Amino acid sequence: MIRAATSADIPVIHAMIRELAEYEKVPDEARADEPQLMEALFGERPAAFAHIAEDRGLPVGFALWFLNFSTWRGVHGIYLEDLYVRPEARGGGHGKALLTELARICVERGYERLEWAVLNWNKPSIDFYEALGARAQGEWTVYRLTDGALTALGARA
């Protein structure tokens, strides 16, 4: 079952974010805490949204996403920040169900893109996404400013 997350899900979302960081081999990179997640998902002006995958009433996965905008298409899309299914629940259709729900939201709202990034070494996920019809955008390279580089550039303003 897929459902929209509620504020009561914050502890399990936080735990699964930590699990995802471990899986991606960067546990120290996941620094968000529960109050930050509460504000981002359920504050006065939510910046992101989440869905929970459940199996027999237990949370086994989540998708955390936010809106982006295509200047070329002139409409919003969904950017999937995190998709995670706990190891014991993988292969049970939960990841596909989460992506299906996000695709349904896109279609219902007239959004024309559902996008995400995947680590180059994560072959199981790449195979899964490609089996759904997703295609890598090979002509694009993701760039990111964080920490000292972000601070230094921002200080020039």
Side-chain angles (χ1 to χ4, degrees):
M1 177 182 99
I2 305 302
R3 62 174 177 78
T6 68
S7 59
D9 293 311
I10 291 296
V12 75
I13 291 170
H14 185 253
M16 287 192 280
I17 289 170
R18 303 284 311 156
E19 292 168 26
L20 175 59
E22 290 283 340
Y23 174 76
E24 292 185 352
K25 304 172 186 161
V26 288
D28 296 335
E29 300 272 330
R31 298 185 297 222
D33 59 28
E34 290 183 22
Q36 287 173 311
L37 292 172
M38 182 68 77
E39 180 63 26
L41 294 169
F42 303 105
E44 187 175 313
R45 296 184 64 172
F49 308 92
H51 283 77
I52 302 292
E54 290 185 338
D55 191 359
R56 296 185 223 15
L58 297 174
V60 296
F62 81 105
L64 194 141
W65 56 278
F66 56 88
L67 295 179
N68 60 14
F69 184 80
S70 170
T71 57
W72 289 20
R73 298 206 174 199
V75 296
H76 282 293
I78 286 178
Y79 186 84
L80 176 60
E81 179 66 21
D82 288 329
L83 176 69
Y84 178 74
V85 175
R86 289 182 157 154
E88 65 274 12
R90 290 182 190 150
H94 305 293
K96 183 177 182 180
L98 285 163
L99 283 171
T100 299
E101 176 61 10
L102 296 186
R104 185 196 66 74
I105 291 168
C106 285
V107 170
E108 176 182 276
R109 297 181 186 178
Y111 303 162
E112 294 190 15
R113 291 181 179 170
L114 173 55
E115 297 178 313
W116 62 91
V118 61
L119 291 165
N120 293 333
W121 58 259
N122 193 345
K123 183 152 174 42
S125 292
I126 291 168
D127 291 345
F128 167 68
Y129 298 142
E130 289 181 353
L132 294 175
R135 295 294 168 247
Q137 301 297 298
E139 65 274 7
W140 294 91
T141 299
V142 176
Y143 282 85
R144 179 178 295 158
L145 279 171
T146 62
D147 303 322
L150 178 63
T151 301
L153 184 59
R156 293 181 190 163

